[in-house]
Each structure stands twice: as structure tokens, then as C-alpha cells.
Amino acid sequence: MKRPILLVALLAGALFGAWQSAADLPYTLSGEQELTLPDVTEYRQWPYMGTSMVPNDKNNGKAIFPGIHTVYISPRALRMRREKGVFPDGTIILMENHHVNLKEAESGFGYFTTGAMDLMAAVKDRRQFEGEGWGYYLFLDRDLKAGKKLASLQPSAACRSCHQVGAGEDQVFTQYYPSLKKEP
Ligand code: HEC
């Protein structure tokens, strides 16, 4: 008699735990590890992490992700990173890659955008992903324009391998985000 009760209690605990953490997560993963397209109006209100720019004309026309990179991080993840120095499970970092379409404006010669962008994501969840626990996702501009709402997990060679080698900390290029250090 004791065992079924224990089993029910364990099951209820597991279900409640799963429900609770899924509800708290700032992203949605399907059973096949597909990422639901994050809501642009929501994540653009998240803390800003940094900007880099990788134009084609400084890379022999062949930059890997040519454009202006703007990075946002989910709010709890930034708090944990600042307080405890770690990116917790449940972190999502989003990078918009704005395509450069114009090289001259009223302010001068430079790099200007007209709205096209790819959305790149790094999700930390050690229950889902191997190694340090990061999964990488990519919504290309054409996917976004076609209304695509799910992205599949990128193969390790496409994203993780470079992040493992060059990133300052835990596969994140912390060296390029001074804003991680303290409240600006
Ligand atoms: C050849 C190296 C390289 C590859 C391959 C690469 N990245 Fe990155 N990634 C970087 C660098 C360097 C930065 C930070 C500077 C910048 O914006 O370019 C970065 C930044 C990011 C960020 C912001 C958070 C962070 O870790 O700094 C995300 C999200 C991201 N990349 C996703 C991806 C995805 C998704 C792929 C695969 C489709 C990918 N990356 C492939 C080098 C790479």
C-alpha cells in the first residue's frame, strides 16, 4: 500500500516541478528541442548586453554573420550572472544580426540598416543539451519573413565549436560585453 502512495507523490512532485519550471522559463522548447520564436516586443525590453559589428567589407566579403549584432539577455540570467558569476539553467541570450544595407546617411558614411535581420539564440539548459549545456538556434531573415515560428537545434559544428574555443566564459563571449560586470 505504501509504494503506490509514494509513486503517486513522486509523480505529482515531478509533474509539478516540470510545470513550474516550464512556466518560469523565458523560452519554449518542444520535445524535439525546437525553439519557439521569441517574441520581439518582449525580448527587446530585456537587459541589453552589448553590440558588435562585423561588416563584410572588413572580411573579404565573407563575414560569417555579416551585420550589426545587438545582444539581449533574459532578466533573471543577468541577475544571477552579476550576483553569482554564472549563467544559470534557464538562460537565453538573443542576438539580432541586423543586415547592413546602406553605407551613407545624413550623419555620414557608415553602416545603416533597413530592417532585415537574423535572430540567433543561445539557450542554457543542462538537462537538454550536452557539454556545458548550451543549445544554439538560428532564425534567418527569410525564415522570419516566411512566418517560421520554430527553429531546430543547430549542429555542434555550426555554432558550439567556435563558442567553445573562443568565448571568454562558459561558451559566452563575455569579453565583448562590459555591461555584464556591473549596473551601468
Ligand atoms: C566562427 C565563430 C562563431 C561561430 C561559428 C558562431 N558564433 Fe556566435 N558568436 C561569435 C562571437 C565572436 C560572438 C560575439 C561577438 C560578435 O557579436 O560577433 C558571438 C555571439 C553570439 C551570441 C551572443 C552571446 C554570446 O555567446 O556571446 C549568440 C546568441 C550567438 N553567437 C549564436 C550563434 C549561433 C546560433 C551560431 C550558429 C548558427 C553561432 N553563434 C556561430 C562567434 C561565433
Side-chain angles (χ1 to χ4, degrees):
M1 203 50 204
K2 266 186 192 161
R3 274 216 186 133
I5 291 172
L6 186 68
L7 201 67
V8 168
L10 280 174
L11 263 175
L15 277 176
F16 181 70
W19 171 79
Q20 201 183 27
S21 55
D24 286 348
L25 289 174
Y27 52 82
T28 309
L29 286 181
S30 76
E32 282 74 45
Q33 296 186 318
E34 287 178 313
L35 178 71
T36 301
L37 177 66
D39 181 343
V40 61
T41 54
E42 201 174 304
Y43 75 72
R44 278 193 184 155
Q45 297 186 37
W46 288 356
Y48 161 81
M49 210 158 103
T51 305
S52 304
M53 184 169 180
V54 191
N56 257 337
D57 56 15
K58 292 222 177 277
N59 293 280
N60 300 320
K62 291 186 220 141
I64 175 165
F65 298 109
I68 302 168
H69 302 169
T70 314
V71 186
Y72 301 89
I73 182 168
S74 48
R76 176 175 170 267
L78 180 64
R79 271 201 310 279
M80 295 281 282
R81 175 60 178 61
R82 283 186 177 149
E83 283 165 21
K84 304 214 181 342
V86 294
F87 293 104
D89 287 317
T91 297
I92 178 166
I93 303 177
L94 291 168
M95 181 160 98
E96 291 181 342
N97 177 31
H98 296 274
H99 299 188
V100 166
N101 292 315
L102 295 168
K103 298 216 174 147
E104 192 181 349
E106 291 70 10
S107 47
F109 296 105
Y111 301 94
F112 305 90
T113 62
T114 51
M117 68 159 201
D118 315 305
L119 184 65
M120 306 169 77
V123 173
K124 178 150 181 188
D125 193 331
R126 281 170 296 178
R127 288 162 305 184
Q128 295 271 358
F129 308 116
E130 59 195 29
E132 298 296 311
W134 289 95
Y136 294 90
Y137 295 89
L138 173 62
F139 292 88
L140 291 171
D141 186 57
R142 61 168 178 271
D143 301 333
L144 296 171
K145 288 196 170 118
K148 201 174 152 191
K149 295 280 183 264
L150 286 174
S152 355
L153 181 65
Q154 288 285 315
S156 200
C159 316
R160 182 187 292 146
S161 50
C162 178
H163 278 246
Q164 266 171 337
V165 174
E169 198 185 298
D170 190 10
Q171 283 181 219
V172 183
F173 284 88
T174 49
Q175 64 267 45
Y176 306 124
Y177 311 117
S179 67
L180 283 177
K181 290 197 187 105
K182 55 178 167 44
E183 295 282 359

